[in-house]
Amino acid sequence: MKRLTTLAVICMALNAGAQTPIQPSAANRADMQKLDYRLEPRRIAENTWVIEGPVEDFSRSNGCNIINTAFIATDQGVVVINTGPSRLYGEQQRKAIEKLTQQPVLRVFNLNLHPDYFLGNAAWSDKPTQALAGSIAGMKAEGAAYEDNLYRLCGDWMRGTQAEPAREAIQPQTIRLGSHVLELRRLHGHTADDLVIIDQTTGVLFAGGLVFADRVPTTPHADPQAWLASLQVLRQWQDDGLFKWVVPSHGPVHEGPRGMEQTSDWLQWLVALMQRSAEKGVDLSELLRTRVPERFAGWAAQPAEFHRSLAQWYPRYEQQALSKPK
């Protein structure tokens, strides 16, 4: 086994006809015996499909698949967004796309450095795989640890998976492909480099990990204040009419600000809890027994993600409290 960095251990422990986008399809459970993810693309807008992952934590029962991937058939070719947690996922994703369109795949985008965004790249090695430069650097630094941990968590689902970081660094830009105009924009906060894509043609935002819906946000590479600032930017873009539908990487596709509001609400509550607790001298073991407010209690990955965020973040708040002059 390769030696794991502390950050990688934390990250992998947590990661754990047109249809109406606000009505997510029923979760398709992975077939563990056949190693079949049962990927079923759902059309959410013109020429736009999402392959919805369970709103869960990494496990053998879901093959470590907890992410929404997507693709757009632009008339000139297909754009793929995220490639899933394994080579097998990428292969099955490819087959699912080929059943719906004969257009060639032009490029593959990885929205950030987390493993379920890019470990399927091995199935797309003949296509341009692209991400922001900071995400590529993170993929290279953490990729071996991601492999080790997902093998440990999900076993045979990960057979043949080797981390293949995106090969091409991209800059924020506007791309016209057929009738689709895609805006690639850089934000940060969930990670140091968060790529978001706005399809001007359909009004769909591919928000990556900046937006969670009905699920506790994951925080292994997060900066909460930067994240909150990026969520404000997204809200302003929505108010400006740049998009209507939101595809989060985790949680149901939805219309409007719901996911942004949920994510912002959670981050603000969590930061305030840690600040107050640190100032009172509350021990981490005691803080872990905190009951979350009712509005968060029913979210997926609760309380596991809450506990992981506390274990990761709370020591810095304790240190800040200790450093204040008496």
Side-chain angles (χ1 to χ4, degrees):
M1 292 287 286
K2 305 175 184 70
R3 185 175 180 179
L4 308 184
T5 65
T6 300
L7 186 57
V9 170
I10 293 171
C11 181
M12 297 318 309
L14 52 73
N15 282 302
Q19 295 174 302
T20 305
I22 59 174
Q23 295 294 331
S25 59
N28 295 307
R29 304 304 304 171
D31 187 326
M32 294 178 64
Q33 288 188 322
K34 297 181 180 179
L35 297 181
D36 183 358
Y37 283 107
R38 295 182 175 175
L39 304 181
E40 295 187 8
R42 182 169 70 91
R43 187 180 176 193
I44 62 165
E46 182 182 3
N47 305 318
T48 306
W49 289 264
V50 171
I51 304 175
E52 295 156 305
V55 189
E56 299 174 348
D57 224 342
F58 286 144
S59 71
R60 288 178 186 263
S61 65
N62 59 38
C64 280
N65 173 31
I66 61 172
I67 194 169
N68 297 328
T69 65
F71 61 99
I72 306 168
T74 70
D75 296 330
Q76 288 189 359
V78 176
V79 172
V80 177
I81 300 171
N82 297 328
T83 61
S86 68
R87 182 188 187 102
L88 181 62
Y89 182 101
E91 292 170 346
Q92 294 181 11
Q93 177 191 41
R94 221 174 150 147
K95 290 178 181 178
I97 293 171
E98 290 169 355
K99 287 180 180 179
L100 288 170
T101 177
Q102 298 304 308
Q103 294 182 35
V105 171
L106 299 178
R107 59 177 77 194
V108 176
F109 292 118
N110 304 138
L111 299 186
N112 71 43
L113 60 85
H114 288 163
D116 44 342
Y117 290 69
F118 81 95
L119 283 184
N121 283 2
W124 295 97
S125 58
D126 60 329
K127 304 296 182 181
T129 51
Q130 302 176 322
L132 295 171
S135 293
I136 294 176
M139 293 172 191
K140 291 178 178 178
E142 303 285 353
Y146 292 157
E147 288 176 39
D148 283 348
N149 279 276
L150 263 68
Y151 271 108
R152 176 177 57 82
L153 289 170
C154 293
D156 286 346
W157 291 98
M158 304 304 298
R159 265 186 271 160
T161 300
Q162 290 187 317
E164 293 190 10
R167 294 188 301 277
E168 298 180 12
I170 54 170
Q171 296 290 332
Q173 59 188 282
T174 299
I175 301 171
R176 181 177 293 277
L177 294 170
S179 61
H180 289 258
V181 179
L182 305 181
E183 292 187 47
L184 278 57
R185 299 192 175 191
R186 178 188 180 271
L187 294 172
H188 66 290
H190 179 58
T191 72
D193 251 351
D194 291 307
L195 176 64
V196 299
I197 299 175
I198 302 172
D199 187 341
Q200 291 183 2
T201 304
T202 58
V204 175
L205 167 72
F206 300 91
L210 286 168
V211 176
F212 283 69
D214 301 340
R215 189 190 192 280
V216 184
T218 61
T219 60
H221 298 89
D223 176 332
Q225 298 307 323
W227 195 342
L228 287 165
S230 287
L231 287 166
Q232 289 183 331
V233 171
L234 289 175
R235 284 298 307 271
Q236 184 60 57
W237 290 349
Q238 184 184 45
D239 290 344
D240 292 341
L242 298 186
F243 61 86
K244 179 179 181 180
W245 303 105
V246 178
V247 179
S249 288
H250 305 282
V253 178
H254 55 276
E255 182 180 9
R258 174 178 134 207
M260 290 177 278
E261 290 177 347
Q262 286 184 348
T263 307
S264 180
D265 187 16
W266 172 262
L267 292 172
Q268 290 174 328
W269 173 79
L270 181 61
V271 168
L273 171 69
M274 291 187 291
Q275 288 175 335
R276 290 194 307 269
S277 299
E279 289 169 0
K280 294 177 181 178
V282 175
D283 183 78
L284 176 59
S285 62
E286 180 181 352
L287 189 59
L288 288 167
R289 294 193 290 272
T290 301
R291 295 176 64 91
V292 302
E294 187 62 31
R295 65 187 186 275
F296 305 135
W299 288 3
Q302 187 73 275
E305 291 291 5
F306 172 47
H307 293 167
R308 292 163 186 159
S309 293
L310 289 179
Q312 178 193 357
W313 282 355
Y314 191 54
R316 79 180 70 166
Y317 286 91
E318 289 181 302
Q319 188 60 46
Q320 289 171 4
L322 290 170
S323 299
K324 287 183 178 180
K326 302 296 183 184

